[in-house]
Amino acid sequence: MDRASDLTDAFVEVKFGNTTFKTDVYPKSLNPQWNSEWFKFEVDDEDLQDEPLQITVLDHDTYSANDAIGKVYIDIDPLLCSEAATVISGWLPIYDTIHGIRGEINVLVKVDLFNDLNRFRQSSCGVKFFCTTSIPRCYRAVMVHGFVEELVVNEDPEYQWIDRIRTPRASNEARQRLIFLMSGELQRKIGLKVLEMGGNAVVGYLQCFDLEGESGLVVRAIGTACTLEKISTLPATATHPSNSSPSKDMKDSPQAAPSTLGCRSTHSSPVHSASSRLSQGFSVSVPTLLFAGMKPRHRSSEAPRARQCRQSLFLLLHTYKHTHILRHTHTGTVLMYDPVSPCVLMECVPPCSDRPGFGEEAPGVPLSSGPPTPLRAQTFSSFSPSKSYSRQSSSSDTELSLTPKTVGIFLCPSSPALESESSPLPSAHLPRHLRSGMASRSTTPPPLHVSQSDSAMLRKSVSFSEELLLAVSGMGSGGSAGKEAGPLKALLRQQTQSALEQRGVSSSSEAFVRTGEYPFFTLTAFPPGFLLHVGGVVSARSVKLLDRIHNPDEPETRDAWWEEIRQEIKSHAKALGCHAVVGEEVCILSASGTAAILSSRFMQDAPLETEHRLSRQPLCVFSTGSERVEGDMGSSASLGFEEVVSPGCGFCHIPYDELNIPFPAQLTYCYCCRRYKVPDVLFTTIDLPNEANVTGKGCLIQARVRTPHTADEQTKATRHERFVWSSYPNQCGRDHAARTSGVYLTALPSPGGIQIAGKTPSDITYEQHISNMQKKINDTIAKNKELYEINPPEVVEEIIGSPIPEPRQRSRLFRSHSESSDEVSELDLSHGKKDAFVLEIDDTDAVEDIHALLTDSPTPAGFYSCNTEIMPGIQNWTSAIQMFTSVRVFRLNNVNLTNQGLNKIFTDLCENLLKSLYFKLRSMVPCCLCHLNFTVAIPEDELIQVAVTAVAMSFDKEQPLENGKQSGEKTLIKAITENDEQLQFNLELNAETSSPNPLSSPKGLSEVGSHPSARAPSVDYSSFADRCSSWIEQLKLKAHTIRRGSVKTTSSLEKASPLPEGRSRSLRSNRSYSGSSVAVVKMTPLSFIPGAKIIKYLGIINMFFIRETTSLREEGGVSGFLHTFIAEVFAMVRAHVAALGGNAVVSYSMKECVFMENPNKNQAQCLINVSGDAVIFVRESELESTSVQPQSATTQTSNGGEGT
Amino acid sequence: MSVELDVFVGNTTIMDKEVYQLWLNGYTVNDAVKVRIDGGVMEECEASAEVLLSDTMDQYRTFQMCERLLHHPAKLANQLLFQIPPDRQAMLIERYYAFDDSFVREVLGKKLSKGTKKDLDDVSTKTGITLKSCRRQFDNFKRVFKVVEELKGPLVENIRQHFLLPDQLARDYAAIVFFANNRFETGKKKLQYLTFQDFAFCAGQLINNWTVGAVDNMMEDMDVDLDKEFLQDLKDLKILITDKDLLDQHKSHLNNETSHPLSLVCTALRGKTNVFNEMEANFKNLSRGLVNIAAKLINAKDVRDFFIDLVEKFIEPCRSDKWTSIDVNLYLTHYTNSAHILDTFKHHAVWTRYMGVIKSCILRMYHD
């Protein structure tokens, strides 16, 4: 930099892998323009996916070292999939870990992919990744293969010896780069697994980091492997993929094109489009095969771990089996898996041993208890350690089996791959043919598999089998995982490994097939009919001491841990009688209440160590659990219903035997159909099924617990958010409501107020008090009913009288207990059984507090909040959305507070936070805060960090029904329904894939895609400055990426450029002074955008940033620092999305926000990890007109690509 | 227990106009919260003081982060850090560049230097505007001045383009820049009765008529400086007073009905005004005053005193004679026109250009 003029002599380094190119120095300017030629990289197989493209802008110094200005990391992964983006072109922020955003650079990146015909290739280009936890809107699931996970461990550069001598900037950059590398690798590996399974996409992809300090850096990811098909695509395309087996595909698509990276500033844009085409086959057929294969899998050989665990598992299985059966009979549905059981049991044992890991809780805790234990799902316990919330997902147990839901299951397999269906999956077959439940998938399948699949295929299938099986059943269930993702998510690699090992075994002896597996799904929304019953929430946690790791760099160890946890969850799920586990930790079970109780116990057992350990140092643990609760008491069904389970209520029927209720729950006959029993409250971690009957509006229920930590540990805060849906039977008009959460220390109905019933234990002393409280509570209940538009036709009392043994209102008490072991004993959760409301007040001192807790301030008029995707009961969304992130850190000054005191404080904190949100968003009234999820962390003693990311969506006041058509919501639903219908349709037809879809109307759109009008309009660039000076960089870099083996040359690249140019923003002089020239990019944590249709998914956005400052005060203190950083992160996400050609990010989430400060040194550091799906959406109103455009755009693009 | 950190960041940046105004006015966070509480927001939204505080802090931070962008408004539209709807952007800019008339009166015509900035606390005390706000306004003046100073082309247009200001505001800034550049004296006691808008009007006249850009529309020159050639030519007007004959002739026209009924000053005025006698008596003085002003404008120092001179040499005498503004208008109209009839007077173009501005300025300034 020239000191006199404050101008820079800038140049750029473009690096990919080990290859680096440089531009010339552009002297003395804040608006350098390089207009470089293309930089061409030829890249090896693995690097293509692992490496980010790094663009470093430097200030040339003749005599001293060049000064870094900033960097841009570009994930080229979206370019590797033919259906995603074709080019990255636009202004991207130049980011420096010390100074933040320092300017922008215009870059053009293109990838030409040569197909790798090598079967043993290491890359998995072409697999699509989605963060969305439901089937992406413009796709349809041909098949859901199951759960995939991967984990990568590396040394944390921050803790290497060299860190002592290098600058903070160098360290931060080393870390950022490493994480980019690791996530690339992770995606690649997961992609490979998916390919092995025959899928072509990963839905509900969730990636997490564990910063374990000196023991390493862990990146984990989970997802649900699917075979997706574009809805709108022409039949031709669909068929194409299906036919080809993976290997074939590769051959077919050899079009390699050189990919170029160009950074260019001025208009000269040379750009072009890079099209990467990998033809990956998504062989549909394959999937089916896989499917079959999957079931069989069981890991026969796994490292023996906790024996106890095994044992317990075994037992569980056993018992559960029975239950299932019973249940089935009840429902009339057959569980596939029961049949298996016998065989399974046999086999299981060994496997169990392998699995020992089930108990997440850690080895120490045996799952001793029989059925009940499983229940423990700690749902409420909230401990879920790390930020991961354990969502509870409910899945239908029997999906596999037959009930209508089965259909859903079938769907998957059936649609694309015809072949597979018939032959491969036993289970599938069974269900269809034998709905009666005979089918135990276990035995039958294996043979089939063998026959069908090639050995290779088998293997794959085998390896995944467990999960797959589960998946099959659980397909629908999935969503929860995503949330919980936290630590749990990462599935064990071991699993896979073991799976591999097993393959051999399994393939050889199919007999082993275990039926018992529960699939994990990372989805939260399922096709209608997919969910049969919702069991409840299951969760598990464990704590590990990092210092016991002998070889920290080996991922296997951690894999094993995860494995254990997953196993634990599975066992819980079994206890509840469900087949599928949604999310990792979650199982679908009906009795949530129970689960909660159990969990608390569970907590007790394994008090000290909560799961966190993975994510953090062993000692500091905090857990957050957010759970969603669905409270459906009854479903409404007309009395006369016969066998058929009405869709509206079926999912709430209990999956388990009523005689063996795992936890104390009140069962009643379903209000809808009156045939089956339903629990009084359902907790789930998934979105409310569309078909569910819902009365009134939902509201947010919150429970918070804060307990002082135990001995040496720090305090832990736990907080649960639960969303309760009250579904009241519409038809019958009975209502019940039971929902509530009273909690011993903590759970409390949130601002919205739920009906609360409190009953004192027998404590006489407080009666007076309590009666007062009771009164207030009753008032509140009445008010809330009105507020939420719950108008039960009949009075509760009547219900009581009704023949059916009905529960009356009951409130359930969950306790969320803190982990501290000491405290555990205080509460007994067993109160659930009591009639009426139970509000246990066991601590005399707590009375006042409880009172305070229960009388939360109401939400302001016009506000609703929920932590699900959408608020039940509200349908007419307008297009106004506002996504936000809010972070607060509190310091507790008084360490000696009692539990109640702490809880009170914590409650206040959260209350205030919510109030602030309401206040800030008051201009959007009426609106609903959706996807409201709190992440609580304890960065250090006495500090509580609460982070919230949510979206506020306004809606029309009018009655939903009347205006429903207009509302986006409705359309949404419609779309979904259509989707579902399609699925079903397919299933029934068995794979007539090509049948034209009515829905697909926007046909061409989806395919195309690349740059709809939405693409970022040209921006004039004016330099943006950081505090020092504004920087604008215009770079024209050209880079070329070629896959190994490809032969292309770059020569012709230039030709392509014209197109890009048009697109690229004109930097220059034409400054338009008015109006915004930066493309507007919407962001939302939801999977959809109200009032708009997503026409194309451009790829996943997964970014990791570090920001550090040594001048904290000057930057406005911690708040100023973090505020800036978050704003910068948003800006970078938006810029990358715009560069991909998108205009929105859906399923956005901030998965990690680690903030550390040292005020004394005037320093602070923050790490943030965000992810989401870049999409192009079109307003429904504009759909018609725009639809044409994108197509043409694409065409052009493709032409350009060809030209090269 | 204390809140260590409290941050709220929206994808679309949320900005409350009311808070923005409080921030612009230089209120501290606490004061702003008080004002808001008094404003009744709390009842409206069921908020508590804590919530208000948190919200206010957030917004203040946002504004601070935006501030450097606001220094170069064109960047606001192109930056990536904040996603702000265009109408919001316009609001932000307009309000940021808005200023208080009472403040600008204090600074108008002063050199926009550090010295002046140091005196702002006095200005703050005097006007009751917070120092922070004074500084912001001062810095705005200075920034605009610096950017526009060397630019060619129409001043107002330049300001509007570079700062994206609405038309009226751009004109006001043009006036401020113009005054600052020419260092017109506006602070004297005799000028205190004039408002900023009076000066802004005059500045507009000067800019439109006396600068190079006024004559030559080619974008070659700047509007900031007066047209030197023109000032030079003004010296020639002196003939109107130095040449006795001419002066008398000019004046005589006041009386001599015969020579040129319509254009002679006095002829035209006689009977139309109650103050005719005073006019006649003062004609020489007034005429000498105006012409002297013109003749001296070539000196930078006298340019600075332009407004004072106008007041002293013309407005005050008229006022003491109780002329109404109609009288003044009549007088100036005829005074201007009649000069053209003078046989020996050749400088018609310069005279017109000069008197046109003088007349409108005086008329604007002729009030209490």
Side-chain angles (χ1 to χ4, degrees), chain A residues 503-747:
Chain A
R503 319 165 168 174
V505 177
S506 58
S507 60
S508 61
S509 64
E510 298 265 346
F512 283 102
V513 176
R514 300 179 181 181
T515 53
E517 298 301 340
Y518 296 91
F520 288 108
F521 292 94
T522 57
L523 304 179
T524 53
F526 307 92
F530 199 87
L531 281 185
L532 280 187
H533 300 292
V534 174
V537 177
V538 177
S539 66
R541 339 191 141 73
S542 74
V543 178
K544 302 280 185 189
L545 283 181
L546 288 176
D547 58 12
R548 292 195 192 147
I549 304 178
H550 297 297
N551 46 349
D553 293 342
E554 292 299 313
E556 286 73 18
T557 315
R558 291 176 179 82
D559 269 341
W561 294 346
W562 289 118
E563 174 76 348
E564 289 175 12
I565 288 187
R566 292 199 176 98
Q567 295 292 1
E568 169 84 10
I569 289 177
K570 287 178 185 174
S571 67
H572 288 180
K574 287 181 184 173
L576 290 179
C578 296
H579 300 280
V581 175
V582 176
E584 300 207 347
E585 307 175 75
V586 180
C587 294
I588 300 173
L589 297 189
S590 48
S592 58
T594 322
I597 294 172
L598 289 176
S599 62
S600 61
R601 287 181 191 170
F602 201 16
M603 297 307 296
Q604 295 180 355
D605 292 348
L608 290 184
E609 353 190 313
T610 29
E611 34 303 12
H612 267 31
R613 75 337 156 169
L614 284 181
S615 52
R616 308 231 161 200
Q617 298 294 351
L619 291 185
C620 67
V621 176
F622 66 94
S623 56
T624 315
S626 75
E627 295 130 343
R628 297 180 176 186
V629 178
E630 293 185 4
D632 297 359
M633 287 306 291
S635 26
S636 53
S638 51
L639 295 178
F641 249 179
E642 323 316 71
E643 322 251 4
V644 181
V645 178
S646 74
C649 64
F651 73 94
C652 4
H653 297 165
I654 53 167
Y656 37 78
D657 178 6
E658 66 182 313
L659 298 180
N660 285 314
I661 302 178
F663 43 84
Q666 201 83 14
L667 296 184
T668 58
Y669 282 102
C670 175
Y671 281 104
C672 299
C673 59
R674 305 235 171 216
R675 278 183 82 83
Y676 304 111
K677 300 267 181 147
V678 295
D680 43 3
V681 180
L682 269 185
F683 294 94
T684 71
T685 57
I686 58 169
D687 280 349
L688 186 61
N690 294 318
E691 67 268 24
N693 298 324
V694 177
T695 304
K697 291 183 180 152
C699 70
L700 184 67
I701 294 186
Q702 310 172 61
R704 313 175 183 101
V705 178
R706 180 156 214 298
T707 50
H709 81 355
T710 58
D712 47 344
E713 350 186 314
Q714 302 108 353
T715 45
K716 306 165 184 179
T718 332
R719 168 177 199 166
H720 300 267
E721 296 271 331
R722 299 192 213 61
F723 187 68
V724 174
W725 277 307
S726 45
S727 54
Y728 302 92
N730 294 331
Q731 307 166 356
C732 298
R734 266 84 235 192
D735 142 52
H736 347 358
R739 54 250 339 0
T740 36
S741 34
V743 182
Y744 155 54
L745 301 176
T746 59

Side-chain angles (χ1 to χ4, degrees), chain A residues 882-883 885-889 891 893 905 912 920 922 1020 1023 1025-1026 1073 1077 1081 1083 1123 1134, chain B residues 1-2 4-7 9 11-12 14 16 45 50 54-55 61 68 75 78 80-81 83 161 164:
Chain A
Q882 166 70 297
M883 191 280 293
T885 290
S886 183
V887 179
R888 282 192 181 186
V889 173
R891 177 175 296 282
N893 298 324
I905 287 171
N912 284 335
K920 280 190 189 296
R922 64 191 184 281
D1020 310 89
S1023 55
D1026 113 341
Y1073 286 94
S1077 44
V1081 175
M1083 295 169 74
H1123 193 134
R1134 288 192 300 255
Chain B
M1 187 203 62
S2 56
E4 296 260 309
L5 182 157
D6 183 4
V7 164
V9 187
N11 182 36
T12 300
I14 294 184
D16 185 300
C45 309
E50 268 176 72
S54 150
D55 179 58
R61 260 200 310 275
R68 62 191 177 128
K75 287 182 186 167
N78 291 320
L80 302 175
L81 194 55
Q83 190 157 274
Q161 286 208 354
L164 307 179

Side-chain angles (χ1 to χ4, degrees), chain A residues 298-436:
Chain A
H298 256 301
R299 21 186 86 211
S300 51
S301 63
E302 285 190 345
R305 284 229 173 154
R307 301 246 159 171
Q308 292 183 341
C309 290
R310 299 176 184 176
Q311 288 260 346
S312 58
L313 284 178
F314 183 81
L315 290 177
L316 290 177
L317 289 176
H318 201 67
T319 36
Y320 288 125
K321 239 171 100 181
H322 284 296
T323 48
H324 284 297
I325 295 172
L326 290 178
R327 197 227 280 154
H328 287 299
T329 53
H330 253 316
T331 51
T333 59
V334 176
L335 293 180
M336 305 292 294
Y337 90 121
D338 294 342
V340 178
S341 56
C343 300
V344 174
L345 288 178
M346 301 295 295
E347 302 171 357
C348 281
V349 178
C352 288
S353 58
D354 293 344
R355 302 183 182 177
F358 276 153
E360 346 154 276
E361 315 276 35
V365 179
L367 305 177
S368 55
S369 56
T373 25
L375 294 182
R376 321 167 150 199
Q378 313 156 342
T379 8
F380 304 106
S381 56
S382 64
F383 295 164
S384 44
S386 40
K387 347 148 140 243
S388 56
Y389 325 58
S390 52
R391 289 183 174 184
Q392 317 166 335
S393 55
S394 53
S395 55
S396 55
D397 338 5
T398 27
E399 299 171 351
L400 291 181
S401 50
L402 349 169
T403 48
K405 304 178 177 184
T406 37
V407 177
I409 297 170
F410 286 104
L411 294 178
C412 318
S414 64
S415 54
L418 299 178
E419 335 147 347
S420 60
E421 291 182 350
S422 59
S423 54
L425 300 181
S427 61
H429 285 297
L430 292 178
R432 294 181 181 178
H433 304 295
L434 316 176
R435 288 201 173 176
S436 56

Side-chain angles (χ1 to χ4, degrees), chain B residues 220-275:
Chain B
E220 297 168 2
D221 212 328
M222 313 171 254
D223 272 355
V224 198
D225 296 314
L226 294 175
D227 183 354
K228 289 273 192 254
E229 267 179 50
F230 167 67
L231 297 181
Q232 196 66 39
D233 291 344
L234 283 178
K235 288 211 296 203
D236 300 337
L237 297 180
K238 263 203 156 181
I239 193 168
L240 284 174
I241 50 174
T242 52
D243 185 329
K244 248 316 191 178
D245 290 344
L246 212 52
L247 181 60
D248 289 338
Q249 201 179 353
H250 196 183
K251 178 190 173 185
S252 72
H253 290 164
L254 281 172
N255 298 325
N256 190 348
E257 298 186 27
T258 59
S259 59
H260 248 291
L262 288 180
S263 58
L264 300 184
V265 181
C266 290
T267 308
L269 289 178
R270 186 188 303 265
K272 288 183 186 169
T273 170
N274 300 326
V275 292

Side-chain angles (χ1 to χ4, degrees), chain A residues 963-983:
Chain A
N963 299 356
K965 292 182 181 179
Q966 299 289 0
S967 68
E969 169 70 7
K970 181 130 186 193
T971 32
L972 228 171
I973 290 176
K974 219 199 288 168
I976 294 172
T977 320
E978 291 177 358
N979 234 335
D980 296 340
E981 285 174 359
Q982 289 181 351
L983 283 179

Side-chain angles (χ1 to χ4, degrees), chain A residues 128-306:
Chain A
K128 296 181 281 287
F129 285 82
F130 301 93
C131 291
T132 304
T133 56
S134 54
I135 300 301
R137 304 286 153 152
C138 47
Y139 291 91
R140 131 182 111 114
V142 169
M143 177 163 229
V144 175
H145 303 283
F147 183 78
V148 285
E149 51 76 28
E150 188 55 88
L151 175 153
V152 178
V153 182
N154 208 317
E155 240 176 82
D156 191 338
E158 186 92 348
Y159 294 89
Q160 288 167 348
W161 65 269
I162 199 173
D163 192 54
R164 299 174 190 217
I165 57 170
R166 67 183 167 195
T167 63
R169 173 180 285 119
S171 277
N172 291 340
E173 283 173 2
R175 244 173 149 188
Q176 282 194 152
R177 176 163 184 279
L178 178 66
I179 291 190
F180 266 105
L181 268 175
M182 290 169 75
S183 10
E185 183 185 348
L186 204 60
Q187 277 196 36
R188 174 171 58 84
K189 288 183 173 172
I190 284 194
L192 281 173
K193 289 188 179 180
V194 171
L195 291 179
E196 273 185 13
M197 294 166 80
N200 63 359
V202 178
V203 177
Y205 184 71
L206 180 59
Q207 182 181 304
C208 299
F209 297 91
D210 295 326
L211 302 175
E212 297 179 348
E214 295 179 4
S215 24
L217 186 60
V218 180
V219 184
R220 295 171 279 115
I222 57 168
T224 303
C226 299
T227 299
L228 298 183
E229 186 180 81
K230 281 217 163 161
I231 289 178
S232 52
T233 42
L234 303 179
T237 51
T239 54
H240 165 73
S242 61
N243 298 339
S244 56
S245 59
S247 57
K248 244 194 192 176
D249 296 344
M250 309 253 121
K251 297 174 183 175
D252 294 345
S253 46
Q255 51 182 53
S259 56
T260 48
L261 300 181
C263 305
R264 168 229 156 212
S265 45
T266 41
H267 354 13
S268 55
S269 37
V271 184
H272 49 340
S273 52
S275 51
S276 58
R277 302 166 174 178
L278 216 182
S279 52
Q280 229 174 348
F282 340 120
S283 47
V284 177
S285 60
V286 174
T288 47
L289 291 177
L290 289 179
F291 186 37
M294 303 184 55
K295 294 186 174 185
R297 101 75 99 103
H298 256 301
R299 21 186 86 211
S300 51
S301 63
E302 285 190 345
R305 284 229 173 154

